[in-house]
Amino acid sequence: MRRALLVLPVVTGLLLAACAHTTNGTPVGSTLPSSPTSSSSSDSGRPTSPAPSSGDPSSPGATATPSVDPITFGSCNSIFTPSDVPAPDGLDGKISFGCAQLPVPLNYTDASGRSINLQLLRIHDKDATPIGSLLVNPGGPGASGIELALGILSELDPSLLKNFDIIGFDPRGVGLSSPINCISNSLKDQYNAYSPDVRQQADFDQAKKLAKQVADGCASKYGTSLPFINTVNTARDMDLIRQAVGDERMNYLGFSYGTELGSVYAHLFPGKVRVAVLDGAVDPLTDDIQQFADQLDGFEKSFDQFSDNCGTGCASLGDPRQAVYDIVTKANTKPLSTGSSRVLTSSLALTGVLQALYSSSYWPDLASALKKAKNGDGSGLLDLADQYNERDADGSYSNIIDANLTISCNDSDPGPTDQKIKDTAAQWATKYPMFGIWAAGSLASCQQWQPTRTPPPLPTADNTANKVLVIGNLNDPATPYQGAVDLAKTMGNAEVLTWDGEGHTSYLEGSSCIDDAVNKYLIDVTLPPPDTTCPRN
């Protein structure tokens, strides 16, 4: 499964996605240019003047994308062990892996200036003659497309590998692609454990102080390079990837925030789209706070689904919702022990609960973790929280938090105001009793971020050669179904495929109806009948 568009306490406060499929590897390639010691910056680390436009489609020259030559793929051994990656049924020994780095402009209005490297992965069926490549993205912002491609490989129908090379890429600033790293592991531990109630002035002030500490640290390290890590520039990078792999037109599969990337690409390069599947759509018609609220509503409902289906697994808990409330209250008074040097705070407890609501496959783990926590053992919820935060046992983190914060803030308008945060917190405390107060603590995350922003355009796809396929899950907690309806309507040349399922996203989540429809569309450009709804099983 793909987790995407999660709320994250304190650090981002907006949207976070992660890929549940993981692979071991060490970063390669260049890092984002840091701000030189002599750079012009204020004492706070902010640029003293705005950086050049990072991709406003209306700015002069911004829509011009440079040309690149075909890329040569080589060994992947420095990133992962190919023999450890399971292949689809019938393709054992027939899959080859190739890796390469693609230089792209840091700033597309100065394409001959500084460049950064993107890490690419190609998965190829040795017996096939593919019609092109299929570019995949798991969401986020901040999740690794390399990990997604490796993680879903064994789940793919062999027919896809006969027709497409699978291309995974880490977007700019993410994973192995010039990664943003500006928040220390110790500070991430502090943030993830912090549980402010921003209705209280002292907690509100502390939340803002911590957010400023992160914003200033990232601005100080990366200076005027920082604004260029945004969705519009990543969409432009995708067109260079298309050229580098030799495709005349783009074939794309994006999940959650990956639907935003795909829709922006179709908006900027409509003539270069062959097919695009956008699964778990980000709603283009809602602002950041409303998107956040819609997620909270989805997770509250998802918890109720868990509770209704828990049965004997929750018998000793009593009311599961009340059990969570009691655990949070207890942890606020005294964090729970975990059998290690770490403790479970209320923030980590709620993070663990949230992690388990992305798929019903996690529900038994959640029931077990809640029973342990009710008896004073927070280890189960802490393990779930660490999965969500991408924290390893040695205390190190991936860079998903750094990248998510950077991209989310660079994509957003400045704000919200202090008063808006306080008013929102008061509303969420009542509307979203499990997650509302905890989530409101992160609404200040982008307030003090660097000021040069590039909000993505409202996406349209009127001029694509074929309709875009948008998939909506009726019970998706992270990207509610209305987002699929609104994205298809906004894009114009698009159709919605619906799944009456559970959890986040739909493709490769257990519905043969969804999977068959997507595979047929990708290969043959054949859409399912209008208004198709696939049953739960």
Side-chain angles (χ1 to χ4, degrees):
M1 78 168 231
R2 283 141 302 281
R3 293 196 288 119
L5 287 175
L6 317 189
V7 295
L8 181 70
V10 182
V11 178
T12 65
L14 292 175
L15 311 171
L16 172 65
C19 179
H21 306 285
T22 59
T23 184
N24 294 324
T26 55
V28 297
S30 66
T31 58
L32 184 72
S34 298
S35 177
T37 304
S38 60
S39 67
S40 58
S41 60
S42 65
D43 291 341
S44 67
R46 304 294 181 88
T48 55
S49 59
S53 168
S54 53
D56 179 350
S58 65
S59 63
T63 56
T65 299
S67 297
V68 296
D69 294 328
I71 198 168
T72 300
F73 286 89
S75 171
C76 294
N77 290 335
S78 65
I79 300 175
F80 64 94
T81 303
S83 60
D84 291 342
V85 182
D89 290 342
L91 294 183
D92 289 332
K94 298 181 180 181
I95 298 297
S96 67
F97 301 90
C99 289
Q101 291 186 3
L102 176 67
V104 298
L106 174 67
N107 172 12
Y108 276 94
T109 63
D110 182 19
S112 62
R114 286 190 293 183
S115 66
I116 56 177
N117 285 343
L118 303 183
Q119 182 65 48
L120 309 185
L121 163 69
R122 182 181 66 186
I123 301 175
H124 173 70
D125 179 352
K126 299 174 186 177
D127 293 339
T129 304
I131 60 175
S133 303
L134 177 64
L135 189 69
V136 299
N137 181 273
S144 166
I146 304 291
E147 292 185 358
L148 174 71
L150 294 172
I152 67 173
L153 175 59
S154 64
E155 304 172 43
L156 296 175
D157 190 284
S159 64
L160 276 185
L161 276 299
K162 296 295 182 186
N163 285 277
F164 299 105
D165 287 338
I166 307 300
I167 304 293
F169 78 108
D170 286 354
R172 58 171 56 203
V174 174
L176 305 180
S177 291
S178 306
I180 291 280
N181 286 294
C182 53
I183 311 173
S184 68
N185 291 329
S186 60
L187 189 54
K188 288 174 183 175
D189 274 345
Q190 179 184 352
Y191 274 24
N192 291 332
Y194 182 51
S195 308
D197 180 349
V198 293
R199 297 173 299 176
Q200 309 299 322
Q201 189 62 46
D203 281 11
F204 181 82
D205 292 342
Q206 181 64 14
K208 288 196 62 170
K209 180 180 178 181
L210 289 172
K212 179 173 173 55
Q213 183 179 353
V214 168
D216 287 352
C218 293
S220 178
K221 181 171 183 178
Y222 294 111
T224 56
S225 300
L226 193 61
F228 299 107
I229 309 303
N230 61 56
T231 294
V232 169
N233 278 342
T234 298
R236 299 195 190 288
D237 294 342
M238 287 165 56
D239 200 58
L240 294 190
I241 295 173
R242 176 192 63 77
Q243 295 179 46
V245 300
D247 285 355
E248 181 179 348
R249 291 190 292 171
M250 172 73 75
N251 306 291
Y252 180 74
L253 171 62
F255 300 93
S256 201
Y257 162 78
T259 69
E260 185 170 350
L261 274 179
S263 64
V264 171
Y265 180 86
H267 178 86
L268 297 177
F269 305 99
K272 298 301 183 181
V273 177
R274 175 181 174 267
V275 288
V277 175
L278 308 180
D279 184 3
V282 177
D283 197 324
L285 301 182
T286 57
D287 61 25
D288 290 337
I289 289 182
Q290 187 58 53
Q291 282 188 8
F292 202 168
D294 290 344
Q295 288 181 309
L296 295 175
D297 183 62
F299 284 112
E300 296 276 351
K301 291 174 179 175
S302 182
F303 186 86
D304 290 339
Q305 286 182 312
F306 156 75
S307 181
D308 291 342
N309 288 275
C310 193
T312 57
C314 292
S316 63
L317 283 176
D319 177 5
R321 180 176 281 271
Q322 187 60 50
V324 173
Y325 294 159
D326 292 343
I327 291 165
V328 167
T329 299
K330 186 185 299 185
N332 274 331
T333 302
K334 182 181 179 181
L336 278 63
S337 63
T338 64
S340 70
S341 60
R342 300 170 66 203
V343 294
L344 183 81
T345 65
S346 62
S347 178
L348 290 169
L350 289 170
T351 304
V353 173
L354 194 77
Q355 156 69 9
L357 297 179
Y358 280 85
S359 170
S360 58
S361 64
Y362 281 108
W363 289 359
D365 295 333
L366 178 57
S368 175
L370 291 177
K371 284 186 283 188
K372 285 183 178 181
K374 184 177 180 179
N375 294 320
D377 178 1
S379 60
L381 287 175
L382 184 63
D383 287 345
L384 288 168
D386 285 350
Q387 291 178 46
Y388 168 80
N389 289 320
E390 297 196 6
R391 184 190 192 275
D392 291 335
D394 64 2
S396 62
Y397 287 82
S398 75
N399 91 312
I400 192 170
I401 293 175
D402 315 65
N404 175 264
L405 175 67
T406 298
I407 299 166
S408 295
C409 293
N410 285 345
D411 280 4
S412 67
D413 292 316
T417 65
D418 287 358
Q419 191 59 52
K420 179 66 173 178
I421 293 172
K422 293 176 181 179
D423 291 345
T424 300
Q427 295 167 7
W428 286 3
T430 301
K431 293 183 69 174
Y432 315 117
M434 184 171 291
F435 299 114
I437 288 299
W438 168 69
S442 55
L443 287 173
S445 298
C446 295
Q447 266 191 325
Q448 302 163 94
W449 192 252
Q450 67 81 25
T452 304
R453 311 291 182 89
T454 307
L458 191 67
T460 59
D462 291 335
N463 296 318
T464 55
N466 303 300
K467 280 190 174 183
V468 170
L469 181 60
V470 181
I471 308 176
N473 180 344
L474 290 175
N475 301 295
D476 192 322
T479 49
Y481 179 76
Q482 186 62 39
V485 175
D486 288 346
L487 180 59
K489 178 175 65 175
T490 302
M491 295 188 76
N493 194 26
E495 179 177 308
V496 175
L497 171 63
T498 302
W499 183 39
D500 183 10
E502 294 172 334
H504 184 41
T505 72
S506 302
Y507 183 58
L508 304 180
E509 294 296 336
S511 169
S512 59
C513 172
I514 291 289
D515 294 354
D516 291 347
V518 170
N519 294 339
K520 188 172 183 61
Y521 168 74
L522 289 173
I523 295 170
D524 300 328
V525 201
T526 301
L527 287 161
D531 303 319
T532 294
T533 297
C534 289
R536 186 160 301 195
N537 295 316

